[in-house]
């Protein structure tokens, strides 16, 4: 039997990427002066897991790096070496190299061999003893017996032959077979590697474990009851002495792989543990079994599914929503008495369709931590490069957003964070001179508001300079009168080619980026707002829809056309009195709503449609709100509320001002979805 290992590669790639991200997160959060032992153990485990996986799949380049990294981490977690800031920098550099190697295997991207060599030399320089097996040295294939309780009795003993297995494969085989019982590796008279395994598992279990590392045709399993009796006799004698025997490790890295104590290679006899040591080892073995049980339980409760399968399900759900809307429309004119059972079934289908849609959409939702976790390292490196001190804080990392949007928001947020560090937060000496703490604060937050997610990038730096922005705008030929309000002045920084930086660096200053930020966010149906106070800092707010796939909408009628108004923007609807509508010369009409005057937007004028009503007092006014700004939309009538499947129209048509997409109605007709944010920006 031969197992095709290629089917497991993608799983390894995904898990290795998660482990490397977790390693970086732990390294950035570790207290160098007084590291938490649990943090050190967790960092070690990530390196150990990556090394084990890469060795299993034959990715020797990654195994080489993680081998040195793991050995160094093992010394630190055992207290044999003190953790320093230089260590953290080296480990982060190793993480970057491992990620580069991982991408090389997965995507075929280039790997910088010089960078790999530099990191290996850097890690090696920290290791006090050389961690390698010299080619001319005779390999000792005796391996540590797994510590077990004295009362445990194994029912079977097997001699498992591996042929001419490589040392790395033997290391993995020992680690895996040790989970099945007590193991001792040796060589037979023919020079082949043999594992003597005492276990309660079957031959099939042993073969399954070994086949994951070696081809099944290279494995031979023979039952050896005589060896079992001999082991039990030795075990009994050891029990009388209250000690357990340990053999010399196969490889120095074995000391890292196993929690068993290591011995000098010059030891001629097996040392014995004191009673306290035995008790501690038994407790450790018990804890390990419990940990393995929990891990297995966790693995069985999750499943990896390709995103293309999720997208296919979402598309089918979208079609189901459209079909359900068609059924609703077809049954509206039926007699509710004679068709009671049919109408009840359609109503039940409507509820089930909505529940199914929400359940499927939740699969596609991802926590913002997927984005936020990328920034601590970037903030640390950039602040160090610029000579600044920055405290990075995140809030609402568990807030969820559609995967399609969460991947597209990474680049805009990256640019905003870099700008805050470069332009916003001052140098430590300058901050102290202003009476501030020398360490600046930069925060990322995410929160749900209605049908949107609001993301904020905030710093306590110097804030935006109004006069400098106006001067630069005029220099670039932009209209920038002194009468402009602060929010309008701040929006000038989104103009193409706009930059107030006095010196062009590799971080910023070329005038590219902010215009791209706004364009990308606008394409996602979002809006960007800026608040700033000179000397106190800047907050940039991004508002995005939670998903671009399905939304709750209000159908409004203008003339013979039906438009969809996203329900998340709607505050209320009413029929205004004639006296509440005022005309402002040169500014258009406004409507008075509870002592507040709001701009009135006649949609028939925007879209050049012949309406049923031109007098707002005879039609319907829908009050909408975007980022705290309100306006009134004048329509002929309200049709109703419904879920709609959003379809992109820009792939076939050019961008239409005031329109964000389209949908298919229950009667099969096409309806355009209003871009409320764009309509309000136009009137402002």
């Amino acid at each position: 039997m031969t197992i095709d290992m290629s089917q497991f590669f993608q799983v390894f790639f995904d898990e290795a990427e998660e482990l490397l991200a977790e390693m970086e997160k732990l390294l950035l959060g570790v207290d160098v002066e007084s590291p938490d032992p649990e943090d050190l153990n967790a960092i070690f485990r990530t390196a150990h897991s990556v090394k084990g996986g890469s060795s299993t799949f034959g990715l020797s380049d990654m195994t080489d790096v993680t081998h040195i990294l793991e050995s160094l981490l093992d010394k630190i977690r055992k207290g044999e070496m003190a953790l320093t800031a230089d260590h953290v920098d080296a480990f982060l550099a190793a993480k970057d190299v491992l990620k580069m190697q991982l991408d090389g295997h997965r995507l075929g991207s280039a790997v910088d061999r010089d960078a790999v060599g530099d990191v290996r030399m850097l890690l090696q320089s920290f290791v006090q003893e050389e961690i390698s097996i010299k080619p001319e040295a005779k390999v000792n294939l005796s391996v540590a017996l797994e510590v077990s309780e004295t009362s445990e009795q194994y029912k079977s003993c097997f001699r498992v032959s591996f042929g001419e297995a490589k040392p790395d494969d033997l290391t993995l085989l020992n680690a895996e077979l040790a989970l099945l019982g007590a193991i001792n590796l040796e060589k037979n008279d023919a020079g082949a590697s043999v594992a003597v395994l005492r276990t309660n598992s079957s031959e099939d279990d042993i073969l399954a474990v070994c086949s994951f590392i070696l081809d099944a045709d290279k494995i031979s399993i023979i039952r050896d009851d005589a060896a079992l009796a001999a082991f039990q006799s030795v075990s009994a004698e050891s029990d009388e002495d209250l000690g357990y025997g340990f053999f010399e490790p196969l490889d120095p890295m074995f000391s890292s792989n196993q929690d068993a104590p290591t011995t000098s290679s010059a030891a001629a006899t097996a040392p014995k543990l004191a009673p306290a040591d035995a008790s501690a080892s038994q407790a450790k073995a018990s804890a390990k079994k419990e940990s393995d049980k929990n891990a297995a339980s966790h693995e069985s409760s999750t499943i990896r599914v390709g995103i293309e399968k999720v997208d296919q399900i979402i598309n089918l759900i979208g079609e189901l929503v459209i079909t359900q809307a068609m059924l609703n429309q077809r049954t509206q004119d039926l007699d509710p008495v004679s068709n009671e059972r049919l109408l009840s079934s359609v109503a039940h289908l409507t509820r089930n369709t909505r529940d199914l849609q929400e359940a499927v959409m939740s699969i596609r939702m991802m926590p913002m931590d997927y984005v936020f976790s990328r920034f601590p390292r970037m903030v640390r490196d950039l602040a160090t490069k610029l000579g600044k001190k920055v405290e990075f804080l995140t809030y609402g990392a568990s807030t969820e957003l559609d995967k399609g949007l969460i991947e597209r928001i990474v680049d805009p947020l990256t640019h905003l964070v870099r700008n805050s560090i470069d332009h916003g937060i001052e140098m430590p000496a300058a901050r102290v001179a202003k009476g501030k703490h020398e360490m600046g604060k930069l925060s990322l937050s995410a929160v749900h508001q209605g049908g949107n997610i609001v993301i904020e990038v905030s710093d306590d730096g110097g804030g935006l300079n109004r006069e400098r922005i106006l001067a630069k705008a005029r220099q670039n030929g932009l209209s920038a009168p002194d009468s402009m309000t602060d929010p309008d002045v701040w929006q000038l920084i989104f103009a193409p080619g706009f930059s107030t930086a006095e010196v062009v660096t590799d971080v910023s200053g070329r005038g590219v980026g902010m215009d791209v930020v706004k364009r990308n966010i606008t394409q996602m149906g979002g809006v960007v707002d800026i608040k700033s106070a000179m000397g106190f800092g800047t907050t940039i707010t991004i508002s995005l829809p939670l998903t671009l796939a399905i939304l709750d909408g209000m159908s409004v009628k203008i003339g013979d056309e039906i438009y969809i108004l996203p329900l998340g923007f709607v505050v209320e609807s009413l029929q205004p009195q004639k006296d509440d509508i005022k005309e402002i010369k040169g500014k258009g009409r406004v409507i008075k709503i509870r002592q507040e005057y709001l701009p009135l937007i006649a949609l028939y004028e925007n879209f050049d449609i012949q309406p049923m009503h031109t007098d707002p007092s005879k039609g319907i006014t829908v009050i909408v709100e975007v980022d705290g700004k309100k306006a009134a939309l004048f329509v002929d009538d309200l049709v109703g509320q419904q879920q709609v499947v959003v379809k992109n129209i820009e792939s076939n048509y050019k961008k239409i001002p005031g329109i964000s997409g389209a949908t298919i109605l229950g009667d099969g007709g096409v309806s355009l979805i209003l871009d409320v944010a764009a309509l309000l920006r136009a009137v402002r």
Side-chain angles (χ1 to χ4, degrees), residues 323-389:
T323 304
Q324 175 262 321
M326 290 180 177
L327 285 174
N328 274 348
Q329 185 159 334
R330 297 291 189 276
T331 57
Q332 283 180 354
D333 299 330
L334 296 179
D335 181 20
V337 177
S338 58
N339 297 282
E340 179 183 0
R341 295 179 64 183
L342 173 61
L343 294 176
S344 176
S345 298
V346 171
H348 192 62
L349 174 63
T350 300
R351 289 193 298 271
N352 287 346
T353 301
R354 173 176 279 274
D355 291 343
L356 178 61
Q357 175 257 316
E358 291 178 352
V360 171
M361 291 304 298
S362 68
I363 297 175
R364 191 179 166 88
M365 304 297 280
M366 296 180 64
M368 284 300 295
D369 187 53
Y370 177 83
V371 177
F372 287 179
S373 62
R374 302 171 182 234
F375 292 108
R377 174 72 182 282
M378 188 190 80
V379 171
R380 176 184 184 272
D381 293 347
L382 186 57
T384 302
K385 180 178 182 178
L386 298 174
K388 298 182 178 182
K389 296 183 178 181

Side-chain angles (χ1 to χ4, degrees), residues 584-625:
I584 299 178
K585 188 174 181 180
K587 297 292 185 181
R589 289 179 290 184
V590 296
I591 181 173
K592 183 180 180 182
I593 305 294
R594 290 185 289 277
Q595 308 305 315
E596 182 181 10
Y597 284 95
L598 305 178
L600 182 64
I601 304 174
L603 292 180
Y604 73 87
E605 295 178 352
N606 286 61
F607 303 129
D608 194 20
I609 296 174
Q610 182 61 43
M612 290 188 294
H613 307 291
T614 57
D615 183 355
S617 63
K618 296 182 180 179
I620 299 293
T621 298
V622 182
I623 310 301
V624 294
E625 182 176 9

Side-chain angles (χ1 to χ4, degrees), residues 122-340:
L122 178 62
L123 294 175
Q124 193 70 49
S125 68
F126 288 111
V127 181
Q128 295 176 347
E129 298 179 4
E130 183 179 0
I131 306 177
S132 64
I133 300 179
K134 295 180 172 60
E136 67 274 13
K138 180 178 179 181
V139 178
N140 187 337
L141 293 175
S142 296
V143 182
L145 282 170
E146 188 75 22
V147 176
S148 60
E149 297 182 14
T150 59
S151 60
E152 182 169 6
Q153 296 293 323
Y154 294 110
K155 299 177 182 178
S156 306
C157 184
F158 297 94
R159 302 184 71 84
V160 187
S161 301
F162 309 116
E164 294 298 325
K166 298 178 182 178
D168 282 347
D169 291 336
L170 291 176
T171 300
L172 290 170
L173 286 164
N174 175 80
E176 296 298 328
L177 289 176
L179 299 176
L180 302 180
I183 180 176
N184 181 33
L185 288 181
E186 58 186 38
K187 276 196 172 183
N188 59 19
D189 296 337
S193 302
V194 177
V196 181
L197 175 67
R198 290 176 295 145
T199 180
N200 293 324
S201 301
S202 66
E203 291 186 32
D204 290 338
D205 293 334
I206 299 171
L207 181 62
V209 170
C210 296
S211 297
F212 191 72
I213 301 170
L214 294 178
D215 291 339
D217 55 7
K218 296 181 179 179
I219 302 169
S220 172
I221 304 175
I222 301 174
R223 191 181 186 95
D224 190 344
D225 292 332
L228 176 64
F231 272 121
Q232 289 174 340
S233 174
V234 173
S235 177
E237 294 177 4
S238 299
D239 289 345
E240 293 176 3
D241 293 333
L242 297 175
Y244 299 87
F246 285 86
F247 297 95
E248 179 186 350
L250 166 71
D251 181 325
M253 70 180 174
F254 230 85
S255 303
S256 301
N257 291 346
Q258 305 291 341
D259 287 329
T262 59
T263 62
S264 169
S265 59
T269 58
K272 297 180 180 179
L273 294 176
D277 294 332
S279 176
S281 297
Q282 293 170 17
K284 184 180 294 185
S286 176
K288 183 176 185 298
K289 290 180 181 178
E290 186 65 26
S291 175
D292 291 341
K293 184 191 300 182
N294 294 337
S297 174
H298 175 71
E299 289 173 359
S300 64
S301 65
T302 60
I303 184 172
R304 291 185 182 273
V305 179
I307 189 63
E308 66 280 354
K309 292 184 179 180
V310 177
D311 288 341
Q312 183 181 10
I313 294 175
I314 289 176
N315 289 335
L316 291 173
I317 289 295
E319 297 303 318
L320 179 61
V321 169
I322 293 173
T323 304
Q324 175 262 321
M326 290 180 177
L327 285 174
N328 274 348
Q329 185 159 334
R330 297 291 189 276
T331 57
Q332 283 180 354
D333 299 330
L334 296 179
D335 181 20
V337 177
S338 58
N339 297 282
E340 179 183 0

